[in-house]
Amino acid sequence: MIAAALFLPGGYLSGLAGALLYQFSCVLDCCDGAVARLKFRESSFGRWLDDICDTLVFLALFLAVGWAYGTDGGSGWKLLAGSLALGTTGSFLVVSYVSSEKGSRTRGLEKVRRRVETIAPRDFSAILLLFALMGMLRWLILGVAVSSNLFWIFFLGMIVRSMSRE
């Protein structure tokens, strides 16, 4: 959340500082899951909590970057913020469903789950850092606003098709 706040002033250095802190945060975030798996202490609640926290961080990052770099704060900002919120929430719901016990019971949904896990944006922190280094955060946030919505709509369609076949 501090990384998201660092983006708010806008400008090259604040964007770079936010991206670097977020990259560091992602390294730590990956370590806790790895330690839990190594110690055989992973749980479905822990996975769910991690997904919720990641989604909240994504929302904060997207909205902060969108506010600082996406628009001038006018009506365009409202459309961008709505698109980011819808795309992040829709993606979270789709990923949560296919990762849940209910979503993994059928063979068709197992195929969807594997595809979602392959495409899910685990490397977003590196992409964010790259765009910050290039000074192109405006383009990244516009791309996220579109691609996150395409992601959840596409996979929702796959879920519906797989459920209608079974």
Side-chain angles (χ1 to χ4, degrees), residues 59-75:
L59 276 171
L61 282 170
F62 295 160
L63 294 176
V65 173
W67 176 261
Y69 303 93
T71 68
D72 60 1
S75 61

Side-chain angles (χ1 to χ4, degrees), residues 18 20 24 40 74 82-83 86 89 93 95 108 120 135-136 152 154 162-163:
L20 285 168
F24 179 70
F40 301 105
S83 178
L86 177 65
T89 304
L93 292 173
V95 170
M136 298 179 68
W152 76 264
F154 174 78
S162 72
M163 292 172 79

Side-chain angles (χ1 to χ4, degrees), residues 98-150:
V98 298
S99 299
S100 70
E101 284 185 37
K102 182 179 180 181
S104 61
R105 284 186 198 152
T106 63
R107 182 181 225 174
L109 285 178
E110 176 62 24
K111 183 178 177 182
V112 174
R113 185 189 59 75
R114 285 193 315 268
R115 287 188 179 168
V116 164
E117 288 178 354
T118 301
I119 296 174
R122 288 190 180 88
D123 298 323
F124 177 74
S125 63
I127 294 167
L128 179 68
L129 182 56
L130 177 65
F131 273 78
L133 283 168
M134 294 186 309
M136 298 179 68
L137 287 168
R138 174 182 299 248
W139 294 107
L140 173 68
I141 208 65
L142 292 173
V144 169
V146 172
S147 63
S148 61
N149 283 292
L150 292 175

Side-chain angles (χ1 to χ4, degrees), residues 87-98:
T88 303
T89 304
S91 297
F92 168 74
L93 292 173
V94 165
V95 170
S96 293
Y97 180 76
V98 298

Side-chain angles (χ1 to χ4, degrees), residues 4 14 26 35 115 134 143 153 165:
S14 66
C26 287
V35 169
R115 287 188 179 168
M134 294 186 309
I153 291 168
R165 290 181 187 154

